[in-house]
Amino acid sequence: MKQPPPALTPVELKRRRELVAATRDILVDHGFAGATVARIARHAGVSPPLLVHYFGDKDALLGLAFRGTAAALSADVARALRHARGPRARLEALIGVCLGGEQFTTRQVAIWLALWGQAVHSPTLGRIQRAYQARMLSNLRHDLGHLLPRTRAHATADTLASLIDGTWLRAALAPPAAFDSRMPRQQVLAFLDSQIGAGASPSPPPAIRHGAPEGLCTSWIDGRPATGNGVRFETRNPATNNVLAEVEEAGEAMVAQAIEAAARGQAAWAAHTGAERARILRRAADLLRRDNADLARIETLDTGKPIAETSSVDVLSGADALEYFAALAATMTGDYVDLGPTAFGYTRREPLGIVAGIGAWNYPIQIACWKAAPALACGNAMIFKPAELTPLTAVRLAAIFREAGLPDGVFNVVQGTRETGQLLTRAPQIRKISLTGEVGTGRRVMADAAATLKYVTLELGGKSPLIIFDDADLDNAVSAALLGNFYSAGEVCSNATRVFVQSGIRDRFLERLKARVSAMTIGDPLDPKTDVGALISDDHMRKVLSYIATGKKEGAELLAGGRRATRGALRRGAFVEPTVFANCHDEMTIVREEIFGPVMAVLDFTDEDEVIARANATPFGLAAGIFTRDLARAHRVIARLEAGTCWINQYNVTPIELPFGGYKQSGLGRENSRAALDHYTQIKSVYVALGDVEAPY
């Protein structure tokens, strides 16, 4: 096995930097062809073998020189963009850095010319050049997208990038005496003015227009899009594998900005009366309903869920949450306590301060609303991190809040992966974390939160039971089993993936279930007739297919589905057929572990005590459901099931008015209903004396 190279000592790192600097000196004086290993070594005062020892060959050494030069320019651009307010100012800042200051000098342009000209011939230099160009275009397209229609924005960005590159080339070829850093910048800014006009007014564009990439998906801090110099990654449509947007990860500096903005915003927001907060939240709910069609389309593109679901549930249930908690905002009061003739007491329900929400990828905008609504109603500020697989609608929600009148800084969005989430869970200024995610993630979040004793709400996974007694309405029971397993392609935490059917109706249940599963339509998620869309990613699809293979291997009977759907255009996406296994037993992997995909396990049972014991034999306890016409039995069984969210003769209906959350390893705390107010406020007790103070000394 090949061993990794040993780590360099500080002395070696310093030496490497000196050798790279010497390489840049040679490029300035002798160009690319003259930058030989021997000449660089001689200039640095070392032997050529030592240079080879550190870098391997000339291509690697020049690649480091190019990468460092490009990184320095990118860092200067990022700093300038952070201090610019508005898209026009950001464009001017970018142009100013590229064509002015420390970057636009005779020395720098000589280095760029030497390396840029060889990028066609050197794979190493070519990769660096393409990354630089992509970053430049992404920044230009993002800000121009606020000022121009998309087609014009992209064309103008291409022209601006060409003008900047051409200016560098012309400056590199001009005699040093003729070098002018002022006139070229003015000429490029004049072109910018000719395209956007001096009085262009910025307005945030949607993350996606008509399903086409908008460029860079940013964070949202202090009432506006925020970019830095973070790592970028792609978000893709899982139904087609097409890139939807490039996403910039929020690093330590950007998270610190979000916390600072949230502290300012929260102080102003908490000073609002409950009625004032309610008006803004109700207005945001109305705006969500106004934009339902557009937001549902974005959600479908980002998640692969059918448009029939996202347009009727995802956005609208988020609006319902905002409206519900708006109604509660003005009703939050403390208690009065009579303490006799000499004193009385009262309590105040006060906000926690800055809270953080970490979302999951299966219901992006709904989860963002479910977390934001009670937090904001109680007077908190929220920093929300969407899942990296579904980043698009959170910034649209932020823009809607601003349009509704929410003060800047009260709702911020930071994009990123687990590292960004950890910056939130470990920040001492954040007083609460609300997570929707996997059990393992919940444990890590709780451990991080313990260091600063944060409040924690965890809505985690499940392996929920659906118990169907032999007196149940069979068609309704089959409908519930379908909803509890194949809605959102099975990517629902509360899904009833263990379906217990009493022996007397087993055969009839399986017959009707198979017929209805076979009639389901797997197809384009944007087609309103589609019943089952794509899974969230290729990686997740492979995980689900591996569980299906394990189910077959362990002896479960495959009743329906069981394969990847590859008909026609479906082969480009992450589609899996709705899958039903019968003759399952409790020890099978597909019965014990959460799959989070369209896989149903059907199990037989004979009597009530037996099925309750088997239903509870799991570390999870998120949800449960039963079907029976015997209401006495229904209430008796529900009382014995170890689950936080239960249904009788229904499944997966989650009205905002009822608490939602789990037992055991399915989580802590509750979302929705009045119960959520306890998780976003703290109680202050006040003792009021009416008489003199008696002291024994």
Side-chain angles (χ1 to χ4, degrees), residues 112-179:
W112 277 95
L113 178 64
L115 296 170
W116 193 276
Q118 296 300 315
V120 175
H121 309 293
S122 167
T124 300
L125 300 183
R127 284 193 295 271
I128 299 168
Q129 180 203 39
R130 288 191 294 274
Y132 159 78
Q133 289 177 311
R135 191 178 298 114
M136 169 76 77
L137 280 172
S138 178
N139 283 327
L140 290 170
R141 289 173 177 174
H142 169 70
D143 289 308
L144 285 166
H146 291 264
L147 305 169
L148 298 171
R150 180 179 175 275
T151 303
R152 279 192 60 202
H154 282 218
T156 304
D158 291 343
T159 305
L160 278 172
S162 299
L163 286 172
I164 292 170
D165 293 341
T167 301
W168 278 64
L169 176 61
R170 184 177 179 183
L173 297 175
F179 185 84

Side-chain angles (χ1 to χ4, degrees), residues 499-685:
V499 180
F500 293 91
V501 183
Q502 201 159 17
S503 301
I505 59 168
R506 173 191 181 276
D507 292 340
R508 286 187 294 140
F509 176 86
L510 291 176
E511 180 183 356
R512 296 191 193 185
L513 178 68
K514 182 177 181 180
R516 290 179 63 176
V517 170
S518 300
M520 296 178 76
T521 300
I522 310 171
D524 177 4
L526 290 173
D527 185 342
K529 297 179 181 178
T530 292
D531 297 315
V532 181
L535 297 177
I536 189 62
S537 68
D538 285 347
D539 286 344
H540 189 60
M541 174 187 68
R542 285 189 285 271
K543 174 188 172 184
V544 171
L545 290 172
S546 73
Y547 271 109
I548 292 173
T550 299
K552 296 175 184 177
K553 183 179 179 181
E554 293 182 354
E557 176 191 349
L558 183 63
L559 189 71
R563 296 169 299 181
R564 178 181 180 181
T566 57
R567 174 180 49 82
L570 299 185
R571 68 181 180 276
R572 298 172 56 200
F575 294 88
V576 172
E577 297 174 339
T579 299
V580 178
F581 282 106
N583 291 327
C584 298
H585 58 75
D586 295 346
E587 291 73 32
M588 287 180 171
T589 302
I590 59 171
V591 176
R592 291 184 293 105
E593 297 182 11
E594 185 177 34
I595 300 173
F596 222 66
V599 182
M600 180 195 304
V602 181
L603 305 99
D604 303 346
F605 77 94
T606 55
D607 65 59
E608 182 178 311
D609 288 339
E610 168 213 342
V611 75
I612 292 171
R614 291 169 65 193
N616 288 336
T618 173
F620 301 108
L622 183 54
I626 68 168
F627 271 77
T628 179
R629 287 188 172 93
D630 184 342
L631 289 182
R633 173 163 61 186
H635 296 299
R636 183 172 66 244
V637 172
I638 284 291
R640 295 177 62 190
L641 290 176
E642 297 168 354
T645 305
C646 298
W647 295 273
I648 296 174
N649 295 329
Q650 185 55 276
Y651 205 85
N652 261 354
V653 177
T654 54
I656 302 299
E657 294 84 354
L658 281 175
F660 183 81
Y663 286 8
K664 299 188 281 188
Q665 293 189 33
S666 287
L668 301 169
R670 291 295 180 268
E671 299 202 88
N672 296 339
S673 81
R674 285 185 173 272
L677 301 180
D678 293 332
H679 301 293
Y680 287 98
T681 55
Q682 50 199 344
I683 302 297
K684 177 181 287 182
S685 294

Side-chain angles (χ1 to χ4, degrees), residues 218-274:
T218 69
S219 297
W220 180 282
I221 297 173
D222 208 13
R224 57 189 57 82
T227 60
N229 195 31
V231 175
R232 295 181 180 181
F233 55 91
E234 294 173 338
T235 183
R236 292 176 175 268
N237 180 348
T240 63
N241 207 32
N242 292 337
V243 175
L244 294 171
E246 192 177 44
V247 186
E248 182 183 57
E249 183 166 7
E252 189 171 351
M254 193 172 290
V255 170
Q257 290 174 29
I259 292 172
E260 182 182 346
R264 289 194 305 269
Q266 194 272 329
W269 182 238
H272 284 56
T273 66

Side-chain angles (χ1 to χ4, degrees), residues 308-482:
E309 296 181 17
T310 58
S311 61
S312 61
V313 173
D314 295 46
V315 183
L316 298 180
S317 64
D320 289 346
L322 292 173
E323 190 170 59
Y324 175 80
F325 284 102
L328 293 184
T331 68
M332 287 186 289
T333 59
D335 295 323
Y336 169 84
V337 181
D338 190 340
L339 298 174
T342 61
F344 69 91
Y346 65 91
T347 62
R348 289 172 52 88
R349 188 183 285 272
E350 298 182 347
L352 301 176
I354 305 174
V355 301
I358 301 177
W361 45 255
N362 57 338
Y363 281 87
I365 197 166
Q366 182 198 74
I367 290 172
C369 291
W370 279 20
K371 295 185 185 305
L376 301 186
C378 294
N380 301 286
M382 170 162 277
I383 301 173
F384 184 77
K385 190 197 88 66
E388 61 266 32
L389 291 173
T390 52
L392 298 180
T393 48
V395 287
R396 286 293 300 272
L397 175 63
I400 281 174
F401 275 137
R402 190 171 195 272
E403 185 180 352
L406 191 71
D408 292 345
V410 178
F411 184 80
N412 304 279
V413 177
V414 290
Q415 303 284 6
T417 56
R418 185 174 74 179
E419 286 72 22
T420 303
Q422 283 184 327
L423 292 172
L424 298 175
T425 58
R426 296 175 179 176
Q429 304 93 325
I430 295 174
R431 296 306 308 136
K432 174 191 171 63
I433 301 289
S434 176
L435 166 79
T436 299
E438 299 175 339
V439 174
T441 306
R443 293 194 188 102
R444 290 191 293 270
V445 166
M446 195 169 180
D448 284 347
T452 50
L453 292 180
K454 290 178 173 59
Y455 295 84
V456 175
T457 296
L458 303 175
E459 198 272 280
L460 307 177
K463 195 68 182 175
S464 300
L466 174 61
I467 302 170
I468 302 171
F469 288 95
D470 55 13
D471 67 337
D473 183 299
L474 201 52
D475 286 330
N476 283 339
V478 171
S479 294
L482 294 172

